[in-house]
């Protein structure tokens, strides 16, 4: 298969509870892949596993020809995988600009810099000295995205990219997306709005109770397939 | 006039408490670790200074050049090799480990140096004083206070203006997300402990120049340190300085009334403040 991100037989556990079962998935360079599925299907768990927040078998996750399933999150970050976590999760003690700068902590080189993030989201430049907690939800999401971009990742993962945001802000975020992916950066997007998820992605995976219940090209998947894959009916 | 002199002495003493407390505050702030062995580590630094002075024939101030990096190294190793293994959601295991460490340290010092009180002799500094108006201030207390203020200023600057300070604050906010930013929590914790013990080493040397010490005095110092931190408000270093000064003044006033009241007066003021302002005077602004 591709030699970019390849997940083979990934199992993830929270104590005795198994959240992912023998999950297989892959992403090619510059590809946008949507991950959909009902609440509790395991989408966040998948992203936590890839990013190293949950440790797995070394061989379950391969990144550019290297086993990374066992690595810590800071090591994975250094290899070029970034996560925009569910619920933004900015650092409240840090200003907007500090939140962005800390994203560049890995020291990876690439097209993204503070200036370029401000160019993408000009409002953040205006607010750069404010505490991150003083921003609106949409602006906080911009900081979370900018923070991930500052690491110059080759794969960026968005968990619930538009959850809790106003429609106009959601449009703004999605308008920014083409300027983010491409240039060799691949993306994995978790999105509740299935139509939206399929329209921005090239391929999609549907998870159900920790297993892949459907996968295919985003244009080829039908509504019926999806409702079957979502609820298993 | 007498009382103003007492006040000044108290303030100068407070600088020393603040310096010691700053280390406690730093490690609690960054990793929510309550270090019961902090006082004994400070006393250990004083003994390290004693040995350095004796073997190399240098003054206590010069011994800082060796003791500070040594304590920083010990702090980093202690955190990485011992404490990181027990750090987690539950704050009790690390607390118990540092308690055990405190016992081990005290007994090791007792074996190595006996229970005889020791002092770091400074010859000149011991007795030299400077007249400021009608007051006669000892050089040593003045120097101690100046060093304390300078170090607390430097720590504060590091915390809010440098990449290391940013890493400390981010890790304190959310360890998982900090890890996602490429910060290795184990290393960040190690650096926090190294820095805390470096500052504590300075406190230990100045303590040893000022008063006699023996292996058992760490415990009371720990209590003074906690009191200064809590009076000032957890996680605020200028608050810690204020807390240290308040404690120093309370003790000086207490001992002026009756020498036996020195320590008691400090505790009473601490309890009074705790009753009125449970979060201290300058609590960290929580988001
Ligand atoms: N910290 C945890 N401890 C125990 N179980 C957990 C934990 N986090 C998630 N789970 C369980 O793991 C399963 C997968 O959760 P996950 O958060 O990955 O789902 P999700 O697809 O992201 O859902 P959502 O759409 O609600 O975000 C769920 O059954 C959830 O209850
Ligand atoms: Mg989720």
């Amino acid at each position: 298969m591709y030699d970019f991100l390849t997940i083979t037989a990934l199992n993830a556990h929270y104590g005795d509870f198994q959240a992912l079962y023998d999950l297989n998935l892959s992403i090619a360079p510059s590809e946008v892949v949507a991950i959909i599925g009902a609440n509790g299907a395991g989408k966040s768990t998948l992203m936590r596993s890839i990013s190293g927040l949950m440790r797995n078998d070394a061989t379950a996750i391969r990144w550019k020809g290297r086993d990374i399933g066992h690595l810590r999150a800071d090591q994975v970050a250094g290899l070029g995988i970034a996560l925009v976590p569910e619920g933004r999760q900015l650092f409240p003690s840090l200003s907007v600009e500090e939140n962005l700068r800390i994203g560049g902590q890995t020291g990876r080189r690439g097209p993204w810099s503070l200036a370029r993030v401000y160019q993408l989201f000009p409002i953040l430049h205006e607010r750069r000295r404010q505490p991150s907690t003083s921003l609106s939800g949409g602006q906080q999401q911009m900081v979370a995205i900018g923070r991930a971009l500052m690491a110059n990742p080759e794969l960026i993962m968005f968990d619930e990219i538009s959850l809790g945001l106003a429609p106009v802000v959601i449009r703004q975020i999605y308008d920014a997306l083409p300027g983010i992916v491409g240039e060799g950066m691949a993306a994995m997007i978790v999105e509740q709005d299935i139509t939206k998820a399929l329209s921005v992605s090239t391929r999609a995976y549907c998870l159900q109770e920790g297993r892949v219940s459907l996968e295919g090209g985003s244009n080829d998947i039908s509504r019926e397939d999806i409702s079957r894959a979502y609820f298993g009916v | 006039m007498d009382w103003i002199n007492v006040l000044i002495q108290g303030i100068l003493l407070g600088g020393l408490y603040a310096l010691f407390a700053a280390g406690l505050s730093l490690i609690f702030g960054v990793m929510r670790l309550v270090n019961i062995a902090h006082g004994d580590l400070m006393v250990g630094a004083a003994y390290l200074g004693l040995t350095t002075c004796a073997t190399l024939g240098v003054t206590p101030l010069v011994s800082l050049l060796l003791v500070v990096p040594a304590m920083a190294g010990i702090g980093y190793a202690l955190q990485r090799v011992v404490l990181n293994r027990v750090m987690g959601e539950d704050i009790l295991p690390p607390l118990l480990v540092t308690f055990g460490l405190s016992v081990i340290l005290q007994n090791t010092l007792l074996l190595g140096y006996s229970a005889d009180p020791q002092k770091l002799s400074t010859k000149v500094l011991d007795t030299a004083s400077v007249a400021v108006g009608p007051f006669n201030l000892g050089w040593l207390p003045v120097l101690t206070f100046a060093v304390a203020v300078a170090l607390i200023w430097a720590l504060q600057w590091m915390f809010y203006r440098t990449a290391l300070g940013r890493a400390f604050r981010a890790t304190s906010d959310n360890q998982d997300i900090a890890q996602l930013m490429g910060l290795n929590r184990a290393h960040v914790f190690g650096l926090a402990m190294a820095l805390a013990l470096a500052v504590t080493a300075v406190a230990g040397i100045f303590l040893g120049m000022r008063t006699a010490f023996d292996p058992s005095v760490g415990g009371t110092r720990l209590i003074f340190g906690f009191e200064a931190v809590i009076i000032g408000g957890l996680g605020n270093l200028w608050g810690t300085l204020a807390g240290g000064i308040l404690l120093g003044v309370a003790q000086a006033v207490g001992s002026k009334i009756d020498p036996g009241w020195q320590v008691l007066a400090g505790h009473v003021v601490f309890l009074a403040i705790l009753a009125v302002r449970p979060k201290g005077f300058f609590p960290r602004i929580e988001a």
Side-chain angles (χ1 to χ4, degrees):
Chain A
M1 260 267 219
Y2 315 112
D3 200 21
F4 194 60
L5 180 75
T6 313
I7 294 175
T8 319
L10 173 65
N11 291 287
H13 304 261
Y14 293 102
D16 289 337
F17 177 78
Q18 184 159 3
L20 297 179
Y21 295 87
D22 285 332
L23 192 128
N24 298 318
L25 179 151
S26 66
I27 296 184
S30 307
E31 195 180 27
V32 179
V33 168
I35 309 289
I36 56 178
N39 285 342
K43 307 177 296 289
S44 296
T45 305
L46 171 63
M47 291 189 162
R48 291 174 60 82
S49 293
I50 296 172
S51 65
L53 286 178
M54 289 174 79
R55 310 284 277 277
N56 304 96
D57 291 340
T59 54
I61 304 170
R62 275 180 80 76
W63 171 246
K64 302 199 324 185
R66 189 177 156 181
D67 292 332
I68 63 158
H70 60 303
L71 297 183
R72 294 189 311 266
D74 57 299
Q75 297 170 313
V76 174
L79 295 175
I81 298 177
L83 172 65
V84 181
E86 188 173 352
R88 273 75 84 178
Q89 309 261 28
L90 301 183
F91 298 109
S93 311
L94 272 56
S95 69
V96 167
E97 182 154 316
E98 283 181 315
N99 266 284
L100 294 173
R101 278 189 190 281
I102 206 164
Q105 189 86 31
T106 54
R108 289 174 53 84
R109 304 203 165 277
W112 288 96
S113 61
L114 207 52
R116 178 115 188 254
V117 171
Y118 285 148
Q119 206 181 323
L120 182 69
F121 300 121
I123 183 76
L124 298 188
H125 185 253
E126 259 168 60
R127 302 278 156 92
R128 66 188 183 281
R129 302 212 187 287
Q130 296 186 9
S132 52
T133 44
S134 70
L135 302 185
S136 70
Q139 290 163 356
Q140 290 194 19
Q141 182 68 304
M142 291 172 194
V143 177
I145 294 172
R147 184 177 67 177
L149 289 173
M150 286 291 287
N152 279 298
E154 288 172 73
L155 170 66
I156 184 167
M157 301 186 287
F158 300 94
D159 196 356
E160 308 285 7
I161 189 169
S162 58
L163 191 71
L165 302 183
V168 50
V169 179
I170 296 177
R171 193 162 339 115
Q172 239 179 313
I173 301 265
Y174 273 107
D175 285 347
L177 208 57
I180 295 172
V181 294
E183 292 186 45
M185 199 190 293
M188 189 187 253
I189 297 179
V190 168
E191 167 61 85
Q192 297 287 353
D193 179 345
I194 298 167
T195 315
K196 197 86 216 174
L198 294 179
S199 73
V200 298
S201 60
T202 46
R203 283 191 308 124
Y205 288 83
C206 185
L207 302 193
Q208 189 198 336
E209 291 175 3
R211 294 180 171 87
V212 174
S213 55
L214 177 71
E215 82 171 274
S218 301
N219 296 325
D220 310 331
I221 299 178
S222 73
R223 281 270 155 191
E224 296 74 58
D225 292 340
I226 290 177
S227 46
R228 206 174 308 121
Y230 245 71
F231 308 111
V233 290
Chain B
M1 216 41 102
D2 243 16
W3 282 102
I4 297 178
N5 193 34
V6 165
L7 198 68
I8 292 173
Q9 299 304 336
I11 291 171
L12 295 181
L13 177 66
L16 188 63
Y17 292 158
L19 203 50
F20 169 67
L24 271 178
S25 180
L26 185 73
I27 49 181
F28 183 81
V30 174
M31 49 189 162
R32 299 287 175 274
L33 171 68
V34 178
N35 184 7
I36 302 289
H38 200 72
D40 305 295
L41 285 161
M42 174 169 73
V43 175
Y47 276 109
L48 205 56
L50 192 71
T51 300
T52 307
C53 293
T55 45
L56 301 182
V58 295
T59 65
L61 284 180
V62 174
S63 81
L64 282 171
L65 293 175
L66 207 132
V67 176
V68 169
M71 288 302 288
I74 289 170
Y76 188 84
L78 174 67
Q79 188 66 39
R80 293 291 308 244
V81 178
V82 182
L83 296 175
N84 274 347
R85 290 175 200 282
V86 289
M87 304 283 293
E89 286 294 300
D90 191 354
I91 67 161
L92 195 58
L95 190 92
L96 292 177
V97 170
T98 60
F99 181 72
L101 190 69
S102 160
V103 175
I104 293 170
L105 258 172
Q106 278 188 33
N107 285 289
T108 309
L109 290 175
L110 205 56
L111 275 177
Y113 293 96
S114 85
D116 297 340
Q118 301 282 356
K119 196 160 175 302
L120 295 173
S121 166
T122 58
K123 302 186 185 79
V124 196
L125 269 180
D126 271 349
T127 49
S129 64
V130 55
V132 179
F135 308 111
N136 222 9
L137 304 181
W139 264 116
L140 185 58
V142 171
L143 181 67
T144 308
F145 186 76
V147 166
V149 173
L151 274 183
I152 283 173
W153 178 85
L155 277 178
Q156 187 81 10
W157 180 83
M158 180 281 307
F159 215 63
Y160 288 100
R161 292 279 178 273
T162 67
L164 180 64
R166 194 172 63 205
F168 283 157
R169 281 178 290 143
T171 304
S172 164
D173 278 348
N174 189 328
Q175 295 183 12
D176 276 353
I177 305 296
Q179 196 96 10
L180 280 180
M181 301 297 121
L183 294 167
N184 181 6
R185 166 177 44 210
H187 180 61
V188 173
F189 283 2
L191 291 178
M193 187 55 94
L195 194 62
L197 290 199
V199 175
T200 302
V202 178
I205 298 292
F206 276 95
L207 173 84
M209 287 194 282
R210 207 183 157 110
T211 58
F213 56 92
D214 65 69
S216 70
V217 301
T220 32
R221 302 291 148 178
L222 179 75
I223 292 174
F224 294 165
F226 274 134
E227 289 179 347
V229 170
I230 292 169
I231 291 173
L234 276 172
N236 180 327
L237 291 173
W238 287 124
T240 302
L241 180 62
I245 290 173
L246 203 66
L247 204 59
V249 169
Q251 292 189 359
V253 170
S255 78
K256 171 77 178 162
I257 298 168
D258 181 330
W261 287 4
Q262 181 186 350
V263 174
L264 182 67
H267 294 330
V268 167
V269 166
F270 166 70
L271 287 174
I273 289 171
L274 201 60
V276 185
R277 300 284 301 252
K279 290 192 162 182
F281 283 116
F282 313 99
R284 193 167 80 144
I285 303 108
E286 291 290 347

